[in-house]
Amino acid sequence: MLSNPKQDEIEIEEFHVDRQKVGLRRALTQIRDTISFELRRNLNRFLVILLVYIGFFILGVLIFESAEALGLPIAADSAEYVKGYLELNFGFLIVISGAAFGGSIIAEDYHKQTNNLLFPKSRKANILIGRLIARYLLMAACLLFFYLLVAGITLIKYEEIPLTIFNSFGWALYFSFAILSFITMLSSFMKNTSMTIIMGIMITIIVFEMIPMLISMSGVFEKNEFPLFFVLTYYGRIVSESLAMPNPRYSVETIQMMDSEPVETMTWLTPSEIGAFFGILIYISILLLIAYLRYKKRQSKGE
Amino acid sequence: MNNDVMIRFSNLTKKFKDFYAVSNIDLEIRKGEIVGFLGPNGAGKSTTMKMLAYLLKPSEGEIWIRSNGELKKLSSHNKDYLLDNIGFLIENPTFYGNVTPRLVLKYFAKLKGYPRKQVNKRVEEVIAIFGMSDWIDKKIKTFSKGMRQKIGVASAIMHDPDIVVLDEPSTGLDPQARREVRDLILKLKKIGKTIFLSSHLLYEVSEVADRVAIINNGKLIAFDTLDNLEAKAKKSIIHFELIRQPEENIENMLKNIEEIVTPLTGISTELNWVDYNEDSKVFQIFFNGHPENQLNILETLLKNRYKIIEFSVPKAGLLENLFLEMVNPEGNHDFNNNSQNNLNNLEKELIMEVQ
Ligand SMILES: Nc1ncnc2c1ncn2[C@@H]1O[C@H](COP(=O)(O)OP(=O)(O)O)[C@@H](O)[C@H]1O
Ligand SMILES: [Mg+2]
């Protein structure tokens, strides 16, 4: 192979290695080095996801511009215009990017046996913290870029940007961390990255989205917001609704079947700010705790 | 006497549910030596190494590792500290594809607390040792298995540990890459590393190891130098070929050879055997391994007009057979039932001598 003919002549100087002491400093260094390694390693993934966000933005522009050209009613103010972009299933975009950034976070090492390289060298907690931070930073960068684009076009069209866009951005950051935590938890159980991504998207999109529908269809809980607090994706609604918090936070529709009496159904539009804050916090804590405990116990291939 | 022991396994045992993957292993690895850890697939080699790396917890027994001049017992409290002095390559990690070896090697060196200012220099040093300079900045996903394996060995020594643990480093490699990995291992020994190397192939271990530990079904069945293992078995096998392949009367010919050779093999009559392998056209004679007996047998065969063109006593021959026996107890190897019994006896003999 491509070996250097001179390599045999190289004298290896024997010097005493002064390795960093084991302890808190070493732990912090491990986290720091993991962050920079992960940022480098996920660069391509980041660029792809960023393109998806840009594509999504362009799609929004096309839709709203053609609606305007066709003479359909347009957004009344800048807040409503921004909301238009976020209601094009922005929550789905967050889920996709969370799955893409988080899917490999734990499962990959077991699939590729790279855990055997990492773990006599470092502690799992340090690796996990470093990876979460790095991947979250990349995800946040995508979100920031998207909000900048939306703010830019809003400024052009309305000559102002709604101040509530900052609320919305804040909620988007917070909610996306919950999604990343959820994917991380899944990743600690799954055999490989693609399984995690597929399951993550399936569960969030299908299972979590079905629950609110079933709840409102059943009518049992219709006046009670409480059951929805268990639905992770419910919290995503505050991202767009926080641009102009609705009052009340539910809508009522009357459905008239052919023969029967008209039925009133109630739909919760968004959790309250307090509810969302604590709901997401509890979700994140539990998800990350499960992920860590599972990761800690998880052994090499074959369990 | 104990001064140069770097690692000691004492009664090391790992149970998965009711299954003993590793049982009651006692083993010492001394400073600067290469200990080969030989056993068929599923023998418990990786499990043993994972316990050493604290990737698995032993069910019973202890692991002692030298640190600052004394042996210390490995536990969850001191594992980071004790394992700092060991570099591991366990099983076959595939690495992260989307980065360069340089990035990975730097990361691993830093994780282990290698002095930050010297990391770049260290990477260059390891690249030089391994002759990897041409592909150190290419993406790993384009690499062959052999190149990846080299990075694996490199990653194990990035933080410059005194002890290197390599689990089947040449599995799945082509002969050229195998040779390169073997040369790497010898280089590591030359720069003073203590090496614990597992393999399921005898020749791979016998090429480099100072001492060989043979493990089967989780149990250590022999641990000594290759020469001593041979000597303990005290017997060897002569291989020879004839100029013309015998086509008929092979039974008679074998009988005749056995008759003239039996008084010369130096082993008791019921253990005697002569065999012929149809595929390789090689005759085999079991004897006591002494050069004198070897010479007598050769002379007698020639005197009896056997036209011998090849005559040898492969160094690893007997161990090879013993080892084949362990890998494949059902038979399906070169020997007939008679020889199988002999080898079974031998295996027992080896076990007894080790104990
Ligand atoms: N995590 C595990 N759970 C159950 N059995 C295991 C586990 N890991 C290994 N084994 C079993 O233990 C035995 C030894 O495995 P291993 O140490 O990998 O063998 P080797 O490395 O010598 O090929 C095998 O029979 C294997 O199936
Ligand atoms: Mg193995």
Side-chain angles (χ1 to χ4, degrees), chain A residues 121-132:
Chain A
K121 295 187 176 67
S122 58
R123 296 223 158 201
K124 286 183 175 170
N126 303 340
I127 297 287
L128 187 59
I129 292 171
R131 286 189 176 173
L132 269 175

Side-chain angles (χ1 to χ4, degrees), chain B residues 172-238:
Chain B
L173 301 187
D174 57 53
Q176 165 76 10
R178 257 169 210 252
R179 232 170 294 136
E180 291 191 1
V181 168
R182 181 198 60 199
D183 292 346
L184 276 187
I185 292 168
L186 291 172
K187 262 179 204 161
L188 292 179
K189 181 184 158 86
K190 214 167 147 190
I191 58 178
K193 307 287 182 210
T194 303
I195 297 165
F196 187 37
L197 165 79
S198 84
S199 175
H200 66 279
L201 299 172
L202 174 68
Y203 72 86
E204 216 169 85
V205 161
S206 60
E207 276 172 345
V208 293
D210 300 304
R211 293 196 293 162
V212 178
I214 302 180
I215 181 177
N216 191 31
N217 294 325
K219 294 194 190 73
L220 200 64
I221 59 169
F223 182 34
D224 212 326
T225 61
L226 262 187
D227 285 344
N228 281 351
L229 285 177
E230 290 273 350
K232 269 183 186 165
K234 285 195 201 83
K235 297 159 192 87
S236 283
I237 295 172
I238 290 171

Side-chain angles (χ1 to χ4, degrees), chain A residues 1-4 7-8 10 12-22 26 29-38 40-45 108-109 111-123 127 131 298-301 303, chain B residues 50 53 55-57 76 79-81 83-85 88-99 103-104 107-108 110-116 118 121 125 128-131 133-135 139 141 147 155 159-161 176-177 180 187 191:
Chain A
M1 222 175 276
L2 312 156
S3 55
N4 177 355
Q7 72 194 51
D8 279 331
I10 291 163
I12 288 86
E13 56 181 287
E14 286 282 345
F15 60 88
H16 173 67
V17 198
D18 214 2
R19 280 186 288 260
Q20 186 183 26
K21 293 229 163 55
V22 176
R26 166 91 70 103
T29 324
Q30 286 186 346
I31 292 173
R32 182 176 123 192
D33 292 326
T34 302
I35 293 175
S36 66
F37 182 70
E38 290 286 308
R40 288 280 290 274
R41 190 155 84 85
N42 286 287
L43 205 61
N44 282 359
R45 190 173 276 147
E108 182 187 26
D109 279 323
H111 177 53
K112 294 190 168 172
Q113 298 185 1
T114 31
N115 61 320
N116 289 346
L117 294 171
L118 285 173
F119 296 123
K121 295 187 176 67
S122 58
R123 296 223 158 201
I127 297 287
R131 286 189 176 173
R298 190 162 174 175
Q299 294 174 339
S300 340
K301 187 186 62 155
E303 311 298 291
Chain B
K50 282 180 190 168
L55 289 167
L56 289 174
K57 275 193 192 141
S76 64
K79 71 174 171 93
D80 289 340
Y81 170 69
L83 295 179
D84 257 8
N85 203 18
F88 291 96
L89 176 61
I90 295 182
E91 290 180 329
N92 294 297
T94 47
F95 282 98
Y96 309 109
N98 211 7
V99 287
L103 199 67
V104 172
Y107 177 49
F108 286 160
K110 287 178 187 167
L111 280 182
K112 265 298 200 180
Y114 197 82
R116 294 188 89 76
Q118 295 168 28
K121 186 166 160 261
E125 204 172 81
I129 300 177
F130 287 16
S133 34
D134 288 336
W135 30 282
K139 291 260 165 81
K141 64 179 164 209
M147 290 150 95
S155 77
H159 60 290
D160 204 8
Q176 165 76 10
E180 291 191 1
K187 262 179 204 161
I191 58 178

Side-chain angles (χ1 to χ4, degrees), chain A residues 299-303, chain B residues 16 19 21 39-48 56 91 167-168:
Chain A
Q299 294 174 339
S300 340
K301 187 186 62 155
E303 311 298 291
Chain B
F16 294 113
F19 171 71
N41 285 325
K45 303 179 298 292
S46 299
T47 305
T48 306
L56 289 174
E91 290 180 329
D167 186 14
E168 311 221 24

